[in-house]
Amino acid sequence: MPIPFRIFNQNNDKNALVLGIESSCDETAVAVVRGGTQILSNEIFSQASLHAKHRGVVPELAGRSHLERILPLVQQALQKAGIQGDDLDGIAVTNRPGLIGCLLVGLSVAKALALSYGVPFIGVDHIQAHIHASFLADPALQPPLVVLVASGGHTSLFFLEKKGEGVLLGKTRDDAAGEALDKAAAMIGLGYPGGPAIEEAARGGNPKALALPRGTLEKGSLDLSFSGLKTALLYHLRGPGIQRPFPKLSKQEQRDLAASFQEAVMDTLCKKLERAALLYPQAALSIGGGVAANTRLREKISESTILKGRKFAFPPLALCGDNGAMIAGLGHLLLSQGETSALDLEARARSQSR
Ligand code: KG4
Ligand code: ZN
């Protein structure tokens, strides 16, 4: 069922205003972006404290929280951008991949807003939006581009010949990098989400304290693996096989394990980016997703002798984790190419991109 509404500002898309809605996991996020790159507002409500005691996202709680927060956040995003809903030219929303109950909240709101303002809407792929965040951070950036996307649910490498069309080069065969960090933090006795907690603890630790494996897999492979690394930490802490409780660690032991684990994850990610970069010598390089906020990862990439001389585009931290601006930015690109979604667009748990 096509939307019989006004056509996206194709003649004037430099000024077109797109509302971006993100609710695929545990962040409710809404942004207004002008012309695809100018971020007028980027509002985020993080559910981290809601899920902290469960040490992971509880889908039922996440869906309910999105429902409570999303409309006030839409209002807040419009207000901060200094515009009315009527000023919008299009609505973009994550419709894949993610938790179905969470995606449906954002998708239903996007459809309702598109109907009430009479503007087109477009469902976008969350992972392609993480890739697209690099173009918001640096509007002068042009493909070809190799991008590493590392988050709580996905860890993949992409090659882009054209904006909005990341082609998968390799992906994790088991855990995502962020998921491994979240689980390691729980084992070490650090907070949730684990990535930032590990980064903080690692500052006072010795990255060589514990030798951990790197999941680089067979020679030449662009796939990744983090489950062996996670199991190595588990066995170090409580031995193989039998279920012993995790030992109580001193602060320094926590710091050393955090630093060793962080080093292993970031080393693996950096090596894979190097491998992909060598295949595309003309391509600029970028990173995206929550784990891309990690300072040690950025240091390793910047200091890599293999990557020396390459153009890097590191998005600012606000554009690494889940956010509405990346959804609006990619939505703008697709809408200006004449794409729209129908009102019966479905939410999908899986992406074709991962
Ligand atoms: O992209 P994101 O916000 O949500 C998903 O799409 O999953 O990524 C969340 C993940 C979590 O696993 C979190 O622990 C990790 O990103 N993360 C970090 C950092 N900040 C967030 N990992 C390492 N260092 C950080 N500073
Ligand atoms: Zn994400």
Side-chain angles (χ1 to χ4, degrees), residues 10-32:
Q10 272 165 317
N11 300 328
N12 188 21
D13 67 357
K14 285 201 170 51
N15 288 319
L17 292 166
V18 174
L19 186 81
I21 298 179
E22 158 60 39
S23 69
S24 64
C25 190
D26 60 344
E27 256 106 25
T28 320
V30 185
V32 177

Side-chain angles (χ1 to χ4, degrees), residues 22 24 126 130 151-152 154 289-290 320-322 326:
E22 158 60 39
S24 64
H126 180 86
H130 271 306
S151 69
H154 318 277
C320 286
D322 291 349
M326 66 182 190

Side-chain angles (χ1 to χ4, degrees), residues 141-163:
L141 182 69
Q142 288 299 330
L145 187 69
V146 168
V147 189
L148 167 75
V149 176
S151 69
H154 318 277
T155 299
S156 309
L157 274 157
F158 294 90
F159 174 67
L160 269 87
E161 208 157 14
K162 239 178 115 196
K163 284 185 190 177

Side-chain angles (χ1 to χ4, degrees), residues 199-231:
E199 174 162 13
E200 201 189 323
R203 285 200 189 101
N206 173 9
K208 295 200 170 121
L210 177 66
L212 287 165
R214 270 56 171 161
T216 44
L217 302 171
E218 60 278 1
K219 200 164 181 282
S221 173
L222 291 176
D223 281 351
L224 302 103
S225 167
F226 294 100
S227 66
L229 171 62
K230 191 183 63 184
T231 308

